[in-house]
Amino acid sequence: MSAHEPDVAPPAGTQTVTWIHGALTATDNSTSVGVIHGGLHLHQSPPLPRIPAPRQLGPRPTAFVGRVDQLAALDRALITDPHTGAGELRTGGAALISSIGGTGGIGKTWLAQIWAHENLHRFPDGQLSTDLRGFSPGEPRAPIDVLGDFLDALGIDRDNQPNELEARIGLYRTRTNGRRLLILLDNAAHADQVLPLLPGGNTCTVLITSRDRLHNLIARHGARPVHLDTLTDTEACTLLTTALDNTPTTPETEHSITELIGLCGRFPLALGLIAARIRTDPHLLHDLAAELRELGLDALDSGDSHASLPTVLSWSLRYLTEQQRALFELLGIAPGLYASLPAVASLAGQTSRETRIMLRALTDVSLVTHLPGDHYSMHDLVRSYAATRANSVPRTDQLAALRRIIDFYLHTAYTASQILEPNSTTIQPNPPAPGIQHYPMVDHPMAITWMDTEHSCLLASQRTAFTHQWNDIVVQFACTLSGLHFRRGHILDDHASWKAALNAAERLSSTDALILAHRGFGFANAQVGEHHEAIRHLNESLFMARQRDDRAEQAHSQRVLAWVWAIQGDGHRALEHCRLALELYRTVNLPTREANALNDLGWFAARLRDFDTARANCLAALAMHRQHGNATGEASTLDSLGYIAYSTGSHHEAIEHYNGSIALLAAHSFSAHLSDILDRLGHPHSALGQNNQARRAWRQALTLYQQQGRTADAERVQKQLDDLGTTIEPFSS
């Protein structure tokens, strides 16, 4: 018997032999009367009390909602047949281990406790449970102390436990081997804290919760990870409406609940704090929404550290280095809801390799989420907390970091725009701040993919630049993004971007910037239907360009004015402005712009039924676009020629032109205008009795119009489909 082995009650019918006071004493547990045989004294010792199975699991959480998928994931990981009550715990070469991960306040502990309570019948030998305090006030619990508590619960009092960690681990694993125990290790700091607490044998089940990803535990012991994110809208709504109890719901109540869910970002701890206040004062629901809207994260603070979201989040920082904390804080003020690795590296002023290592540390403690494509994001409330901590960063360091990431976005977007529109006259940005990362941009697919992916971050960067009155950058962003907005049909984003640019240009008092901004904002107004505002700003741009004798800018403004008048139905005035634009372009040697004006002239002439003039201008434009390799200009001109051919009864020629235009636009990602040409393509097919081809074109046009929010156009195309004899469901390509 080990020197540390405690006295325990032996099974009935067995015999133990011990030395007592120097005499050999034997005990037969099956006898009731002591017998002496010579020097051998046999007697019945009183039975020791049986140690009850440990029952350390805390109470079942009462306000728990949802998490059906995550509970099912735990079932799949730990139970052989989770779909029936008869399923058994899985068995293998080691204890079953499942780790529940996620950021602080996301609901890891409650999920573990709910699963445990629903499966108590599977663990007849009891439950061991402890808070490891990995992310809590005070020091994390040492494994040797936790083992002391567990062994005590298993019937081995501390006086009979070894003092050395390894010996205590051995005794613990001996005592757990063969038992069907549930062991809940809550709030673990890292894998090294957990490893000594893994039981012996293969009959126990271990549930671990941690903000750390516990990579080592997954790799070495096959732990099955279950990651928690925010609640769904339905789960969040259930949580808050349940808190109202019997209070009648009204439309105003439902509106306040919806707003609270949005303000909390479906974050469980935040919603739980709000739910607790609703239970206390259900009539103050509307006031709670107003308070959260006004105070933000401060409304979720509390004197109770465990009920204060900022405090709970702060515990995630305890294992980070100073440099990692600084990056976390800077991410709180970075523009956009996510950022790529080069963008974050520019923010930090570090190399991509150094930044990746720091981001991995933030990801490991669940402060940051690593998205596909090397992008990183944070929950809105976590970002707000990071932003409040950034206030401690020196103002000069904050501004320098912001300028680096904004310069990264601006210069990369400019490079992409030059690939997409090599013939554009986009103004070149000022030299970037030192320390930014350069993103390699080599071809059209890479350029359009990057612009689409980073579009929201680019808009956020412009807004940040506007807030800090970096006015030249604001104007440069509007100019750089206008091509993407045009090809993708982002007309509202374009309007907001140019509005900011005009305000920034007025701050700059720069005539060049004002000419550009008035023209850009004029065109943006035309796209959203504000024609009078469009003409006012375009005339202002034209007036200033004339004062500067800037013929290129005069031509640009004249060309946009032509389109605004055409939209309003005044084709003759549109032709007049278009001719003026063409004459001006010819004086400044801008051949692709001259070709654009020729095509416009042909289009407007065709709309006025002057098809001979229209065809001549469009053929001249087509030759110039092909000569200068302007594929998008060529596509636009083929569209015009298709319309001319259809209008003059040459339906086969029209189809050929339209298909050529569609192929070019598709290859160059001009989705905004692809829908219009598909719409027009259906008409010559219909005229030739090719109803299947017409239907195919209109179905594709209908889908694009619906995706673009162009309701009137979608309804018109649906009517065209109806007129073919069959109502068609939207086409999905």
Side-chain angles (χ1 to χ4, degrees):
M1 180 178 291
S2 166
H4 300 291
E5 189 74 19
D7 293 332
V8 295
T14 62
Q15 189 178 71
T16 61
V17 179
T18 59
W19 288 101
I20 300 178
H21 301 300
L24 181 65
T25 303
T27 304
D28 185 346
N29 293 299
S30 63
T31 63
S32 58
V33 181
V35 181
I36 298 177
H37 297 288
L40 188 65
H41 182 200
L42 302 175
H43 65 89
Q44 169 74 39
S45 62
L48 294 177
R50 183 178 180 85
I51 302 299
R55 300 281 186 256
Q56 295 188 340
L57 190 64
R60 182 187 181 99
T62 57
F64 184 86
V65 298
R67 300 301 197 191
V68 174
D69 291 343
Q70 290 77 17
L71 287 169
L74 287 172
D75 285 346
R76 288 192 300 271
L78 302 174
I79 302 173
T80 56
D81 187 3
H83 302 294
T84 68
E88 296 295 327
L89 291 172
R90 297 184 186 275
T91 58
L96 294 171
I97 306 168
S98 190
S99 62
I100 303 172
T103 193
I106 206 70
K108 301 180 293 296
T109 299
W110 278 22
L111 178 69
Q113 289 178 341
I114 286 292
W115 188 90
H117 277 281
E118 291 182 354
N119 290 276
L120 286 179
H121 61 285
R122 304 183 190 280
F123 305 102
D125 294 320
Q127 325 98 34
L128 299 172
S129 178
T130 187
D131 178 1
L132 295 175
R133 296 204 301 262
F135 299 90
S136 296
E139 292 298 314
R141 295 204 66 192
I144 193 168
D145 294 331
V146 177
L147 288 169
D149 292 345
F150 283 177
L151 288 170
D152 192 37
L154 292 170
I156 306 173
D157 63 60
R158 290 184 179 273
D159 291 339
N160 291 310
Q161 294 178 17
N163 294 321
E164 299 80 14
L165 175 62
E166 290 301 323
R168 197 170 286 190
I169 291 172
L171 182 56
Y172 166 68
R173 289 179 177 166
T174 299
R175 289 295 171 176
T176 54
N177 186 26
R179 296 195 182 194
R180 295 181 66 179
L181 283 163
L182 173 64
I183 301 168
L184 174 56
L185 305 176
D186 188 31
N187 196 13
H190 41 68
D192 289 344
Q193 187 187 28
V194 170
L195 291 174
L197 307 179
L198 298 182
N202 64 354
T203 55
C204 293
T205 295
V206 185
L207 273 182
I208 306 163
T209 74
S210 180
R211 303 183 194 187
D212 190 273
R213 297 288 177 133
L214 303 177
H215 297 298
N216 194 20
L217 198 67
I218 295 170
R220 290 178 55 189
H221 295 273
R224 293 173 167 86
V226 175
H227 185 72
L228 280 191
D229 206 337
T230 55
L231 298 174
T232 65
D233 285 330
T234 300
E235 292 169 343
C237 186
T238 300
L239 178 60
L240 295 187
T241 52
T242 302
L244 286 169
D245 199 15
N246 295 322
T247 304
T249 58
T250 65
E252 291 76 13
T253 301
E254 293 174 355
H255 175 77
S256 294
I257 286 176
T258 300
E259 185 178 12
L260 283 167
I261 292 170
L263 291 169
C264 291
R266 308 193 312 275
F267 198 86
L269 178 57
L271 288 166
L273 297 175
I274 294 296
R277 295 176 66 179
I278 290 174
R279 290 189 190 93
T280 305
D281 297 300
H283 60 287
L284 296 180
L285 184 65
H286 178 73
D287 293 344
L288 284 175
E291 180 183 341
L292 190 56
R293 187 168 57 248
E294 179 181 351
L295 299 180
L297 197 64
D298 289 341
L300 302 172
D301 204 350
S302 168
D304 179 358
S305 61
H306 290 277
S308 167
L309 184 58
T311 303
V312 169
L313 292 175
S314 72
W315 297 333
S316 296
L317 307 180
R318 69 189 308 169
Y319 303 108
L320 299 179
T321 66
E322 183 177 345
Q323 196 174 35
Q324 291 162 355
R325 291 188 187 194
L327 178 59
F328 171 69
E329 292 159 359
L330 289 175
L331 285 170
I333 61 173
L337 299 180
Y338 54 84
S340 64
L341 177 61
V344 180
S346 298
L347 178 75
Q350 302 289 337
T351 66
S352 292
R353 183 180 184 279
E354 293 167 334
T355 305
R356 187 186 293 279
I357 292 171
M358 290 191 289
L359 284 168
R360 188 181 301 135
L362 298 179
T363 302
D364 283 347
V365 295
S366 301
L367 287 171
V368 168
T369 301
H370 191 177
L371 304 174
D374 252 353
H375 283 75
Y376 297 84
S377 70
M378 293 191 292
H379 187 277
D380 289 346
L381 293 177
V382 178
R383 185 184 298 104
S384 295
Y385 171 66
T388 61
R389 289 188 58 88
N391 293 331
S392 62
V393 178
R395 181 66 172 169
T396 54
D397 292 347
Q398 282 190 46
L399 293 178
L402 277 177
R403 190 61 183 255
R404 284 193 301 269
I405 191 171
I406 287 174
D407 274 359
F408 164 78
Y409 281 125
L410 177 60
H411 282 263
T412 310
Y414 174 77
T415 301
S417 71
Q418 291 301 106
I419 292 173
L420 297 174
E421 294 287 346
N423 297 303
S424 71
T425 56
T426 303
I427 56 175
Q428 185 170 357
N430 297 325
I436 77 162
Q437 294 292 308
H438 294 280
Y439 188 86
M441 197 82 66
V442 297
D443 55 23
H444 183 281
M446 182 179 288
I448 192 64
T449 299
W450 187 89
M451 290 286 266
D452 283 340
T453 302
E454 307 297 340
H455 181 231
S456 63
C457 296
L458 296 170
L459 293 174
S461 295
Q462 188 197 32
R463 291 192 294 269
T464 301
F466 184 83
T467 299
H468 291 280
Q469 298 194 25
W470 295 331
N471 298 311
D472 54 339
I473 291 179
V474 176
V475 176
Q476 289 163 355
F477 263 118
C479 189
T480 300
L481 291 175
S482 61
L484 175 73
H485 291 159
F486 184 65
R487 76 174 53 222
R488 290 306 202 196
H490 299 318
I491 58 176
L492 296 180
D493 291 330
D494 198 53
H495 187 271
S497 178
W498 278 112
K499 183 177 182 179
L502 181 57
N503 288 331
E506 289 170 345
R507 289 176 185 170
L508 286 170
S509 298
S510 163
T511 302
D512 290 339
L514 283 167
I515 292 172
L516 181 64
H518 275 296
R519 173 165 56 81
F521 192 43
F523 181 63
N525 273 290
Q527 291 191 99
V528 298
E530 297 289 340
H531 300 130
H532 293 297
E533 277 296 292
I535 290 171
R536 182 173 73 83
H537 285 288
L538 289 166
N539 281 332
E540 184 67 24
S541 176
L542 182 58
F543 174 76
M544 297 175 76
R546 282 171 175 165
Q547 283 189 319
R548 293 285 299 272
D549 194 27
D550 188 333
R551 296 194 172 195
E553 285 296 338
Q554 290 178 55
H556 299 331
S557 295
Q558 291 283 12
R559 184 174 175 234
V560 180
L561 277 166
W563 276 103
V564 176
W565 285 113
I567 292 170
Q568 294 190 80
D570 193 336
H572 292 287
R573 187 171 288 188
L575 270 176
E576 178 185 344
H577 283 288
C578 193
R579 288 192 184 101
L580 290 171
L582 179 60
E583 292 171 5
L584 288 163
Y585 281 132
R586 283 172 171 166
T587 66
V588 292
N589 191 29
L590 291 173
T592 57
R593 296 303 182 100
E594 179 184 342
N596 286 335
L598 274 169
N599 178 44
D600 294 347
L601 204 59
W603 175 263
F604 297 140
R607 300 293 289 182
L608 293 172
R609 314 297 293 175
D610 184 359
F611 295 115
D612 290 337
T613 301
R615 187 180 294 105
N617 284 319
C618 288
L619 288 173
L622 183 63
M624 292 184 70
H625 282 311
R626 286 175 172 170
Q627 178 185 351
H628 293 279
N630 187 9
T632 54
E634 180 182 349
S636 180
T637 307
L638 286 171
D639 174 33
S640 300
L641 287 167
Y643 176 77
I644 294 166
Y646 168 69
S647 301
T648 54
S650 301
H651 301 313
H652 290 288
E653 181 184 344
I655 292 170
E656 182 181 352
H657 287 315
Y658 283 141
N659 281 331
S661 178
I662 288 168
L664 286 169
L665 290 180
H668 290 80
S669 309
F670 260 91
S671 54
H673 309 288
L674 194 56
S675 51
D676 294 326
I677 303 174
L678 284 164
D679 178 13
R680 289 194 274 274
L681 172 63
H683 292 284
H685 279 305
S686 178
L688 291 170
Q690 299 170 346
N691 288 352
N692 286 339
Q693 292 91 327
R695 186 175 292 114
R696 186 181 304 114
W698 284 338
R699 287 171 69 183
Q700 294 181 62
L702 178 61
T703 298
L704 289 173
Y705 281 142
Q706 290 171 335
Q707 291 173 352
Q708 295 162 7
R710 296 168 64 175
T711 305
D713 288 321
E715 291 173 351
R716 176 176 50 76
V717 171
Q718 182 63 64
K719 185 176 185 307
Q720 292 166 186
L721 286 164
D722 294 343
D723 291 342
L724 283 177
T726 306
T727 301
I728 302 297
E729 293 299 318
F731 178 78
S732 179
S733 56

